[in-house]
Amino acid sequence: MGRNEQVIAEVFALYERFGASDYIGEPVSQIEHMSQTAQLAMAEGFDDEVVLAAFFHDIGHICAESAENMGGFGVVSHERLGADFLRRAGFSERLARLVEYHVQAKRYLTLRESGYYERLSEASRRTLEYQGGVMSEAEADAFEQDPLCEVSLRMRQWDELAKEMHVPVIDLEVLKRKAVTVLSREVC
């Protein structure tokens, strides 16, 4: 088995092992949430890295078993833990930063978008305090300058929408093929 195939087997094994777990206070499982997020990215025609980032955005909840808990609502710094895990696995910096930025996008939207906080689920509101709370104006101004800001904000919107019950889970082979393509580019 080559390096890329080994990485894909290890990463997707996490979903096989933990995917059926409750998605921290939401009416869906981990795998249902991740799958819906990726499907929304695919439906909008985003590239493979963005689709995979959407799927992997909460991998920090399942790849860091001994991490500190957010009062029953997942893992503290899951966005950073997940991004670092994916970097070590060989995924691109862009993909890792998109995973990391989905929490920054929530903090940003809470500041900049009227009514956003009220639309958040109870679990998302509760975790916001563990994630640094609402961004400051200076943080938001800096985030707006990042080239990944816009796609991060879109990914956050998919994250919020991806909590629907009874949506079929995507065929993971589709995502594995995308991962092979993305990892192959990183070696070149």
Side-chain angles (χ1 to χ4, degrees), residues 35-100:
S35 171
Q36 289 177 39
T37 309
Q39 288 176 70
L40 289 164
M42 288 173 66
E44 291 187 27
F46 277 85
D47 64 71
D48 289 348
E49 280 185 329
V50 173
V51 170
L52 288 170
F55 183 74
F56 293 146
H57 78 277
D58 277 340
I59 198 169
H61 287 304
I62 61 175
C63 74
E65 292 183 64
S66 62
E68 183 183 351
N69 192 287
M70 292 186 286
F73 290 98
V75 173
V76 172
S77 299
H78 76 281
E79 70 283 5
R80 183 183 45 76
L81 294 169
D84 289 346
F85 173 81
L86 293 167
R87 283 181 185 106
R88 286 190 305 274
F91 286 96
S92 72
E93 183 61 21
R94 177 178 178 245
L95 187 152
R97 284 178 54 214
L98 287 169
V99 167
E100 196 161 7

Side-chain angles (χ1 to χ4, degrees), residues 89-148:
F91 286 96
S92 72
E93 183 61 21
R94 177 178 178 245
L95 187 152
R97 284 178 54 214
L98 287 169
V99 167
E100 196 161 7
Y101 284 2
H102 83 279
V103 167
Q104 298 306 316
K106 177 168 89 170
R107 295 181 61 228
Y108 173 89
L109 288 167
T110 305
L111 173 70
R112 292 278 205 252
E113 188 177 298
S114 177
Y116 179 77
Y117 180 81
E118 290 73 26
R119 291 191 308 273
L120 288 173
S121 69
E122 181 61 27
S124 286
R125 288 182 196 173
R126 301 268 307 269
T127 58
L128 181 62
E129 63 189 78
Y130 289 96
Q131 297 166 334
V134 177
M135 266 190 182
S136 69
E137 288 290 339
E139 287 174 314
D141 291 344
F143 188 59
E144 288 169 351
Q145 301 308 307
D146 192 293
L148 295 177

